[in-house]
Every structure is written in C-alpha cells, then in structure tokens.
Short mmCIF file of all heavy atoms in Angstrom, two decimals:
data_model
loop_
_atom_site.label_atom_id
_atom_site.label_comp_id
_atom_site.label_asym_id
_atom_site.label_seq_id
_atom_site.Cartn_x
_atom_site.Cartn_y
_atom_site.Cartn_z
N MET A 279 121.90 81.41 91.16
CA MET A 279 121.38 81.81 89.88
C MET A 279 119.94 81.32 89.76
O MET A 279 119.64 80.18 90.12
CB MET A 279 122.26 81.19 88.79
CG MET A 279 121.71 81.32 87.43
SD MET A 279 122.71 80.63 86.05
CE MET A 279 124.04 79.78 86.79
N ARG A 280 119.08 82.18 89.26
CA ARG A 280 117.68 81.83 88.99
C ARG A 280 117.51 81.68 87.49
O ARG A 280 118.01 82.49 86.72
CB ARG A 280 116.76 82.93 89.50
CG ARG A 280 116.84 83.10 91.01
CD ARG A 280 116.00 84.25 91.48
NE ARG A 280 114.60 83.86 91.35
CZ ARG A 280 113.60 84.71 91.28
NH1 ARG A 280 113.82 86.00 91.33
NH2 ARG A 280 112.36 84.29 91.19
N ILE A 281 116.77 80.66 87.09
CA ILE A 281 116.54 80.39 85.68
C ILE A 281 115.05 80.28 85.44
O ILE A 281 114.35 79.56 86.16
CB ILE A 281 117.23 79.07 85.25
CG1 ILE A 281 118.74 79.17 85.47
CG2 ILE A 281 116.91 78.74 83.80
CD1 ILE A 281 119.47 77.87 85.26
N ALA A 282 114.55 80.98 84.41
CA ALA A 282 113.14 80.88 84.01
C ALA A 282 113.08 80.06 82.72
O ALA A 282 113.88 80.27 81.81
CB ALA A 282 112.54 82.26 83.80
N VAL A 283 112.11 79.13 82.68
CA VAL A 283 111.98 78.24 81.53
C VAL A 283 110.54 78.25 81.05
O VAL A 283 109.61 78.15 81.85
CB VAL A 283 112.38 76.80 81.93
CG1 VAL A 283 112.21 75.84 80.77
CG2 VAL A 283 113.80 76.74 82.47
N ASP A 284 110.35 78.35 79.73
CA ASP A 284 109.03 78.24 79.14
C ASP A 284 108.64 76.76 79.19
O ASP A 284 109.14 75.95 78.41
CB ASP A 284 109.05 78.74 77.70
CG ASP A 284 107.73 78.54 76.96
OD1 ASP A 284 106.73 78.13 77.60
OD2 ASP A 284 107.71 78.78 75.75
N ALA A 285 107.77 76.41 80.10
CA ALA A 285 107.38 75.01 80.29
C ALA A 285 106.43 74.52 79.22
O ALA A 285 106.22 73.32 79.08
CB ALA A 285 106.76 74.83 81.67
N MET A 286 105.85 75.42 78.45
CA MET A 286 104.84 75.03 77.47
C MET A 286 105.40 74.91 76.06
O MET A 286 104.70 74.49 75.15
CB MET A 286 103.69 76.04 77.48
CG MET A 286 103.10 76.30 78.87
SD MET A 286 102.75 74.83 79.84
CE MET A 286 101.39 74.16 78.94
N GLY A 287 106.65 75.27 75.86
CA GLY A 287 107.24 75.22 74.53
C GLY A 287 108.04 73.95 74.32
O GLY A 287 108.53 73.34 75.26
N GLY A 288 108.14 73.52 73.09
CA GLY A 288 108.96 72.36 72.76
C GLY A 288 108.15 71.09 72.63
O GLY A 288 106.95 71.05 72.92
N ASP A 289 108.81 70.06 72.15
CA ASP A 289 108.17 68.77 71.97
C ASP A 289 107.84 68.14 73.32
O ASP A 289 108.62 68.21 74.25
CB ASP A 289 109.08 67.82 71.19
CG ASP A 289 109.31 68.28 69.76
OD1 ASP A 289 108.47 69.04 69.25
OD2 ASP A 289 110.33 67.89 69.17
N HIS A 290 106.67 67.54 73.41
CA HIS A 290 106.22 66.81 74.59
C HIS A 290 106.10 67.69 75.84
O HIS A 290 106.31 67.23 76.96
CB HIS A 290 107.12 65.60 74.87
CG HIS A 290 107.31 64.73 73.68
ND1 HIS A 290 106.31 63.94 73.17
CD2 HIS A 290 108.39 64.56 72.88
CE1 HIS A 290 106.77 63.30 72.11
NE2 HIS A 290 108.04 63.66 71.90
N ALA A 291 105.83 68.98 75.62
CA ALA A 291 105.67 69.89 76.75
C ALA A 291 104.30 69.68 77.40
O ALA A 291 103.36 69.29 76.73
CB ALA A 291 105.79 71.33 76.26
N PRO A 292 104.15 69.92 78.67
CA PRO A 292 105.19 70.34 79.59
C PRO A 292 105.95 69.18 80.25
O PRO A 292 106.88 69.41 81.01
CB PRO A 292 104.43 71.15 80.63
CG PRO A 292 103.10 70.49 80.71
CD PRO A 292 102.81 70.03 79.28
N ARG A 293 105.58 67.93 79.96
CA ARG A 293 106.18 66.78 80.66
C ARG A 293 107.71 66.79 80.60
O ARG A 293 108.38 66.72 81.64
CB ARG A 293 105.66 65.47 80.09
CG ARG A 293 106.35 64.25 80.71
CD ARG A 293 105.78 62.95 80.22
NE ARG A 293 104.43 62.84 80.76
CZ ARG A 293 103.38 62.46 80.06
NH1 ARG A 293 103.52 62.15 78.79
NH2 ARG A 293 102.21 62.38 80.61
N GLU A 294 108.29 66.88 79.41
CA GLU A 294 109.75 66.79 79.28
C GLU A 294 110.45 67.99 79.90
O GLU A 294 111.53 67.85 80.48
CB GLU A 294 110.14 66.63 77.81
CG GLU A 294 109.66 65.33 77.20
CD GLU A 294 110.18 64.09 77.91
OE1 GLU A 294 111.34 64.09 78.36
OE2 GLU A 294 109.41 63.13 78.03
N ILE A 295 109.86 69.15 79.80
CA ILE A 295 110.46 70.35 80.38
C ILE A 295 110.46 70.26 81.90
O ILE A 295 111.45 70.59 82.56
CB ILE A 295 109.73 71.62 79.88
CG1 ILE A 295 110.04 71.88 78.40
CG2 ILE A 295 110.16 72.84 80.68
CD1 ILE A 295 109.27 71.10 77.43
N VAL A 296 109.36 69.81 82.48
CA VAL A 296 109.26 69.66 83.93
C VAL A 296 110.28 68.63 84.42
O VAL A 296 111.01 68.89 85.40
CB VAL A 296 107.83 69.27 84.36
CG1 VAL A 296 107.78 68.89 85.83
CG2 VAL A 296 106.87 70.42 84.08
N CYS A 297 110.39 67.50 83.76
CA CYS A 297 111.36 66.47 84.15
C CYS A 297 112.78 67.01 84.08
O CYS A 297 113.59 66.77 84.98
CB CYS A 297 111.22 65.24 83.26
SG CYS A 297 109.72 64.29 83.54
N GLY A 298 113.09 67.73 83.02
CA GLY A 298 114.42 68.32 82.88
C GLY A 298 114.72 69.35 83.95
O GLY A 298 115.84 69.41 84.48
N ALA A 299 113.74 70.16 84.30
CA ALA A 299 113.94 71.18 85.33
C ALA A 299 114.18 70.53 86.69
O ALA A 299 115.03 70.98 87.45
CB ALA A 299 112.72 72.10 85.39
N ILE A 300 113.45 69.48 86.99
CA ILE A 300 113.63 68.77 88.26
C ILE A 300 115.03 68.16 88.32
O ILE A 300 115.72 68.27 89.34
CB ILE A 300 112.53 67.72 88.46
CG1 ILE A 300 111.19 68.41 88.70
CG2 ILE A 300 112.88 66.79 89.63
CD1 ILE A 300 110.00 67.47 88.69
N ASP A 301 115.46 67.54 87.23
CA ASP A 301 116.81 66.97 87.19
C ASP A 301 117.87 68.05 87.37
O ASP A 301 118.81 67.89 88.15
CB ASP A 301 117.05 66.24 85.86
CG ASP A 301 116.32 64.92 85.76
OD1 ASP A 301 115.82 64.43 86.80
OD2 ASP A 301 116.24 64.38 84.64
N ALA A 302 117.72 69.16 86.64
CA ALA A 302 118.70 70.25 86.73
C ALA A 302 118.75 70.84 88.13
O ALA A 302 119.84 71.12 88.65
CB ALA A 302 118.36 71.33 85.71
N ALA A 303 117.60 71.00 88.76
CA ALA A 303 117.57 71.58 90.10
C ALA A 303 118.32 70.71 91.11
O ALA A 303 118.95 71.21 92.03
CB ALA A 303 116.12 71.78 90.55
N SER A 304 118.26 69.40 90.92
CA SER A 304 118.93 68.52 91.86
C SER A 304 120.42 68.35 91.55
O SER A 304 121.21 68.02 92.44
CB SER A 304 118.25 67.15 91.88
OG SER A 304 118.41 66.49 90.65
N LEU A 305 120.83 68.58 90.30
CA LEU A 305 122.22 68.35 89.91
C LEU A 305 123.10 69.59 89.91
O LEU A 305 124.32 69.48 90.07
CB LEU A 305 122.26 67.73 88.50
CG LEU A 305 121.64 66.34 88.36
CD1 LEU A 305 121.58 65.94 86.90
CD2 LEU A 305 122.42 65.33 89.17
N LEU A 306 122.52 70.76 89.73
CA LEU A 306 123.31 71.98 89.58
C LEU A 306 123.31 72.80 90.87
O LEU A 306 122.32 73.43 91.22
CB LEU A 306 122.76 72.81 88.41
CG LEU A 306 122.73 72.09 87.06
CD1 LEU A 306 122.03 72.96 86.02
CD2 LEU A 306 124.13 71.74 86.60
N ASP A 307 124.42 72.80 91.56
CA ASP A 307 124.52 73.53 92.83
C ASP A 307 124.40 75.04 92.66
O ASP A 307 123.94 75.73 93.56
CB ASP A 307 125.83 73.20 93.53
CG ASP A 307 125.90 71.75 94.00
OD1 ASP A 307 124.83 71.17 94.26
OD2 ASP A 307 127.01 71.20 94.09
N ALA A 308 124.84 75.57 91.51
CA ALA A 308 124.81 77.02 91.30
C ALA A 308 123.40 77.56 91.08
O ALA A 308 123.18 78.76 91.16
CB ALA A 308 125.69 77.38 90.10
N VAL A 309 122.45 76.68 90.82
CA VAL A 309 121.07 77.10 90.57
C VAL A 309 120.33 77.23 91.89
O VAL A 309 120.21 76.27 92.65
CB VAL A 309 120.35 76.10 89.64
CG1 VAL A 309 118.88 76.44 89.52
CG2 VAL A 309 121.01 76.06 88.28
N SER A 310 119.82 78.44 92.17
CA SER A 310 119.06 78.65 93.41
C SER A 310 117.59 78.33 93.20
O SER A 310 116.91 77.88 94.11
CB SER A 310 119.23 80.07 93.92
OG SER A 310 118.74 80.99 92.96
N SER A 311 117.08 78.58 91.96
CA SER A 311 115.70 78.22 91.65
C SER A 311 115.49 78.16 90.14
O SER A 311 116.16 78.85 89.38
CB SER A 311 114.71 79.21 92.28
OG SER A 311 114.84 80.48 91.69
N ILE A 312 114.56 77.30 89.76
CA ILE A 312 114.13 77.21 88.37
C ILE A 312 112.65 77.57 88.36
O ILE A 312 111.85 76.95 89.07
CB ILE A 312 114.37 75.81 87.79
CG1 ILE A 312 115.87 75.50 87.77
CG2 ILE A 312 113.77 75.71 86.39
CD1 ILE A 312 116.22 74.13 87.28
N ILE A 313 112.30 78.57 87.57
CA ILE A 313 110.93 79.05 87.49
C ILE A 313 110.32 78.51 86.20
O ILE A 313 110.79 78.83 85.11
CB ILE A 313 110.89 80.58 87.51
CG1 ILE A 313 111.61 81.11 88.74
CG2 ILE A 313 109.45 81.08 87.44
CD1 ILE A 313 112.06 82.55 88.62
N LEU A 314 109.31 77.68 86.35
CA LEU A 314 108.61 77.14 85.20
C LEU A 314 107.46 78.09 84.86
O LEU A 314 106.60 78.36 85.71
CB LEU A 314 108.08 75.75 85.50
CG LEU A 314 109.15 74.69 85.78
CD1 LEU A 314 108.51 73.41 86.28
CD2 LEU A 314 109.98 74.44 84.54
N VAL A 315 107.45 78.60 83.64
CA VAL A 315 106.45 79.58 83.21
C VAL A 315 105.47 78.89 82.27
O VAL A 315 105.87 78.24 81.31
CB VAL A 315 107.12 80.77 82.49
CG1 VAL A 315 106.07 81.78 82.06
CG2 VAL A 315 108.17 81.41 83.38
N GLY A 316 104.17 79.01 82.58
CA GLY A 316 103.15 78.43 81.73
C GLY A 316 101.87 78.15 82.51
O GLY A 316 101.65 78.72 83.57
N ASP A 317 101.06 77.26 81.98
CA ASP A 317 99.78 76.90 82.59
C ASP A 317 100.03 76.10 83.87
O ASP A 317 100.50 74.96 83.83
CB ASP A 317 98.96 76.07 81.61
CG ASP A 317 97.58 75.77 82.12
OD1 ASP A 317 97.44 75.34 83.29
OD2 ASP A 317 96.61 75.94 81.35
N LYS A 318 99.74 76.72 85.00
CA LYS A 318 100.08 76.13 86.30
C LYS A 318 99.46 74.75 86.50
O LYS A 318 100.13 73.84 86.98
CB LYS A 318 99.63 77.07 87.42
CG LYS A 318 100.04 76.59 88.80
CD LYS A 318 99.70 77.61 89.87
CE LYS A 318 100.20 77.13 91.22
NZ LYS A 318 100.02 78.16 92.25
N SER A 319 98.21 74.57 86.12
CA SER A 319 97.56 73.28 86.34
C SER A 319 98.20 72.18 85.49
O SER A 319 98.37 71.06 85.97
CB SER A 319 96.05 73.36 86.07
OG SER A 319 95.81 73.69 84.71
N ARG A 320 98.58 72.50 84.27
CA ARG A 320 99.24 71.50 83.42
C ARG A 320 100.65 71.18 83.92
O ARG A 320 101.10 70.04 83.84
CB ARG A 320 99.29 71.99 81.97
CG ARG A 320 97.90 71.96 81.33
CD ARG A 320 97.92 72.28 79.86
NE ARG A 320 98.79 71.39 79.11
CZ ARG A 320 99.27 71.68 77.90
NH1 ARG A 320 98.96 72.82 77.33
NH2 ARG A 320 100.05 70.83 77.27
N ILE A 321 101.34 72.18 84.44
CA ILE A 321 102.68 71.95 84.99
C ILE A 321 102.59 71.09 86.25
O ILE A 321 103.31 70.10 86.39
CB ILE A 321 103.40 73.28 85.29
CG1 ILE A 321 103.66 74.05 83.99
CG2 ILE A 321 104.70 73.04 86.05
CD1 ILE A 321 104.12 75.47 84.19
N LEU A 322 101.68 71.44 87.15
CA LEU A 322 101.52 70.67 88.39
C LEU A 322 101.14 69.22 88.12
O LEU A 322 101.54 68.32 88.87
CB LEU A 322 100.48 71.32 89.29
CG LEU A 322 100.92 72.55 90.06
CD1 LEU A 322 99.75 73.19 90.80
CD2 LEU A 322 102.04 72.20 91.04
N ALA A 323 100.39 68.97 87.05
CA ALA A 323 100.00 67.61 86.71
C ALA A 323 101.21 66.74 86.35
O ALA A 323 101.14 65.51 86.44
CB ALA A 323 99.01 67.63 85.55
N GLU A 324 102.33 67.36 86.00
CA GLU A 324 103.53 66.62 85.63
C GLU A 324 104.53 66.49 86.78
O GLU A 324 105.56 65.83 86.63
CB GLU A 324 104.22 67.30 84.43
CG GLU A 324 103.35 67.40 83.21
CD GLU A 324 102.88 66.05 82.67
OE1 GLU A 324 103.55 65.04 82.93
OE2 GLU A 324 101.85 66.02 81.98
N ILE A 325 104.24 67.10 87.91
CA ILE A 325 105.14 67.01 89.07
C ILE A 325 104.89 65.69 89.78
O ILE A 325 103.77 65.42 90.22
CB ILE A 325 104.90 68.19 90.06
CG1 ILE A 325 105.09 69.54 89.37
CG2 ILE A 325 105.77 68.06 91.29
CD1 ILE A 325 106.50 69.92 89.06
N PRO A 326 105.91 64.84 89.91
CA PRO A 326 105.73 63.56 90.60
C PRO A 326 105.23 63.76 92.04
O PRO A 326 105.81 64.53 92.79
CB PRO A 326 107.13 62.95 90.60
CG PRO A 326 107.85 63.63 89.49
CD PRO A 326 107.26 65.01 89.42
N GLY A 327 104.15 63.11 92.38
CA GLY A 327 103.58 63.24 93.72
C GLY A 327 102.84 64.55 93.94
O GLY A 327 102.31 64.77 95.02
N GLY A 328 102.84 65.45 92.95
CA GLY A 328 102.15 66.73 93.08
C GLY A 328 102.80 67.71 94.03
O GLY A 328 102.25 68.77 94.30
N LYS A 329 103.99 67.40 94.54
CA LYS A 329 104.68 68.28 95.48
C LYS A 329 105.90 68.89 94.79
O LYS A 329 106.76 68.17 94.29
CB LYS A 329 105.14 67.51 96.71
CG LYS A 329 105.76 68.38 97.77
CD LYS A 329 106.06 67.55 99.02
CE LYS A 329 106.52 68.43 100.16
NZ LYS A 329 107.91 68.84 100.07
N LEU A 330 105.96 70.22 94.75
CA LEU A 330 107.07 70.90 94.10
C LEU A 330 108.38 70.64 94.83
O LEU A 330 108.45 70.79 96.05
CB LEU A 330 106.84 72.41 94.07
CG LEU A 330 105.85 72.95 93.05
CD1 LEU A 330 105.68 74.46 93.25
CD2 LEU A 330 106.31 72.66 91.65
N PRO A 331 109.42 70.27 94.09
CA PRO A 331 110.74 70.17 94.71
C PRO A 331 111.18 71.53 95.23
O PRO A 331 110.70 72.57 94.77
CB PRO A 331 111.64 69.70 93.56
CG PRO A 331 110.71 69.03 92.60
CD PRO A 331 109.42 69.81 92.71
N GLU A 332 112.11 71.53 96.13
CA GLU A 332 112.55 72.74 96.83
C GLU A 332 112.95 73.88 95.89
O GLU A 332 112.59 75.02 96.11
CB GLU A 332 113.72 72.41 97.75
CG GLU A 332 114.17 73.57 98.60
CD GLU A 332 115.28 73.16 99.54
OE1 GLU A 332 115.26 72.02 100.03
OE2 GLU A 332 116.18 73.99 99.77
N LYS A 333 113.70 73.63 94.85
CA LYS A 333 114.21 74.69 93.98
C LYS A 333 113.30 75.04 92.80
O LYS A 333 113.64 75.85 91.97
CB LYS A 333 115.58 74.29 93.43
CG LYS A 333 116.67 74.24 94.47
CD LYS A 333 117.98 73.91 93.78
CE LYS A 333 119.14 73.89 94.74
NZ LYS A 333 120.41 73.61 94.02
N ILE A 334 112.13 74.41 92.71
CA ILE A 334 111.23 74.64 91.58
C ILE A 334 110.10 75.57 91.97
O ILE A 334 109.47 75.40 93.01
CB ILE A 334 110.64 73.30 91.07
CG1 ILE A 334 111.73 72.32 90.67
CG2 ILE A 334 109.66 73.54 89.93
CD1 ILE A 334 112.49 72.69 89.44
N GLU A 335 109.86 76.58 91.13
CA GLU A 335 108.74 77.51 91.31
C GLU A 335 107.91 77.50 90.02
O GLU A 335 108.42 77.15 88.96
CB GLU A 335 109.24 78.94 91.54
CG GLU A 335 110.14 79.11 92.75
CD GLU A 335 110.72 80.52 92.82
OE1 GLU A 335 110.04 81.47 92.37
OE2 GLU A 335 111.85 80.65 93.30
N ILE A 336 106.65 77.91 90.13
CA ILE A 336 105.79 78.03 88.95
C ILE A 336 105.27 79.45 88.87
O ILE A 336 104.79 80.01 89.86
CB ILE A 336 104.60 77.05 89.01
CG1 ILE A 336 105.10 75.61 89.03
CG2 ILE A 336 103.66 77.27 87.83
CD1 ILE A 336 104.01 74.58 89.23
N HIS A 337 105.38 80.02 87.70
CA HIS A 337 104.80 81.34 87.42
C HIS A 337 103.71 81.12 86.37
O HIS A 337 104.01 80.79 85.22
CB HIS A 337 105.85 82.32 86.91
CG HIS A 337 105.31 83.67 86.62
ND1 HIS A 337 105.17 84.62 87.61
CD2 HIS A 337 104.84 84.22 85.50
CE1 HIS A 337 104.64 85.71 87.07
NE2 HIS A 337 104.42 85.48 85.79
N HIS A 338 102.46 81.27 86.77
CA HIS A 338 101.35 81.01 85.85
C HIS A 338 101.30 82.06 84.75
O HIS A 338 101.42 83.25 84.99
CB HIS A 338 100.02 81.00 86.61
CG HIS A 338 98.84 80.76 85.72
ND1 HIS A 338 98.62 79.53 85.14
CD2 HIS A 338 97.88 81.58 85.27
CE1 HIS A 338 97.52 79.62 84.38
NE2 HIS A 338 97.06 80.86 84.44
N ALA A 339 101.16 81.57 83.52
CA ALA A 339 100.97 82.44 82.37
C ALA A 339 99.84 81.86 81.53
O ALA A 339 99.96 80.75 81.02
CB ALA A 339 102.25 82.53 81.55
N SER A 340 98.75 82.58 81.42
CA SER A 340 97.58 82.06 80.73
C SER A 340 97.60 82.31 79.22
O SER A 340 96.91 81.64 78.47
CB SER A 340 96.31 82.65 81.33
OG SER A 340 96.34 84.06 81.18
N GLU A 341 98.39 83.26 78.78
CA GLU A 341 98.43 83.60 77.36
C GLU A 341 99.29 82.62 76.58
O GLU A 341 100.28 82.11 77.09
CB GLU A 341 98.96 85.01 77.18
CG GLU A 341 98.03 86.07 77.74
CD GLU A 341 98.56 87.46 77.48
OE1 GLU A 341 98.83 87.78 76.31
OE2 GLU A 341 98.70 88.20 78.45
N ILE A 342 98.88 82.38 75.33
CA ILE A 342 99.63 81.49 74.46
C ILE A 342 100.01 82.25 73.19
O ILE A 342 99.17 82.93 72.60
CB ILE A 342 98.78 80.27 74.07
CG1 ILE A 342 98.45 79.46 75.32
CG2 ILE A 342 99.50 79.41 73.04
CD1 ILE A 342 97.46 78.34 75.07
N ILE A 343 101.27 82.14 72.81
CA ILE A 343 101.74 82.75 71.56
C ILE A 343 101.92 81.61 70.58
O ILE A 343 102.73 80.71 70.78
CB ILE A 343 103.07 83.50 71.77
CG1 ILE A 343 102.87 84.62 72.78
CG2 ILE A 343 103.59 84.01 70.44
CD1 ILE A 343 104.12 85.33 73.18
N GLY A 344 101.14 81.64 69.51
CA GLY A 344 101.18 80.58 68.51
C GLY A 344 102.42 80.68 67.61
O GLY A 344 103.13 81.67 67.62
N MET A 345 102.65 79.63 66.86
CA MET A 345 103.80 79.55 65.97
C MET A 345 103.59 80.34 64.67
O MET A 345 104.49 80.49 63.88
CB MET A 345 104.12 78.10 65.63
CG MET A 345 104.58 77.30 66.82
SD MET A 345 106.16 77.86 67.44
CE MET A 345 107.23 77.25 66.17
N ASP A 346 102.38 80.81 64.44
CA ASP A 346 102.12 81.54 63.20
C ASP A 346 102.22 82.99 63.48
O ASP A 346 102.10 83.91 63.08
CB ASP A 346 100.77 81.17 62.63
CG ASP A 346 99.63 81.32 63.63
OD1 ASP A 346 99.86 81.18 64.83
OD2 ASP A 346 98.51 81.55 63.18
#
C-alpha cells in the first residue's frame, strides 16, 4: 500500500509529520511507500542524517493553500 501525506499541514509541520512517516514506514509491513507532499527542501531538512529511509519518497509541491 502507498500512502501520500501532506507534510506541510498540521501543528509543528513538517517536523512532526516527517517523524511520524519515518516511524510508520518502519513499523507497518503493509506499507510499501509513504510519499511526503510539500516543500522538498523543508522536508529534507527534517530527515535525520539527510538520507531518505527506504520506504519514504518526497513529491515536491510549491503551491500553498491557506486556511482562509
């Protein structure tokens, strides 16, 4: 199963979303990949060691949809 996650939404994004995705990728055998969607440079800055884990992918999205 592939899962796409908005890495830029929510409290403390993207740090908490990236940490959660890394944990989920290592714990859930049914997940083949987790795709983090958002600003690639900000997402990569939150990856420990700067190296993407095996099941994590990034899909860059430059547009932002505001809450208003």
Side-chain angles (χ1 to χ4, degrees):
M279 169 179 7
R280 297 175 71 201
I281 300 172
V283 178
D284 175 7
M286 308 313 291
D289 294 337
H290 309 289
R293 176 176 291 135
E294 295 301 322
I295 289 81
V296 170
C297 289
I300 291 170
D301 286 347
S304 66
L305 295 172
L306 303 174
D307 293 333
V309 173
S310 61
S311 67
I312 297 177
I313 305 159
L314 296 171
V315 181
D317 185 313
K318 185 175 183 173
S319 63
R320 288 186 57 199
I321 295 169
L322 282 174
E324 301 299 336
I325 302 287
K329 185 175 187 281
L330 284 176
E332 185 177 324
K333 292 183 178 182
I334 303 290
E335 301 174 31
I336 298 175
H337 180 85
H338 179 70
S340 61
E341 294 183 54
I342 297 172
I343 299 174
M345 294 293 287
D346 53 331

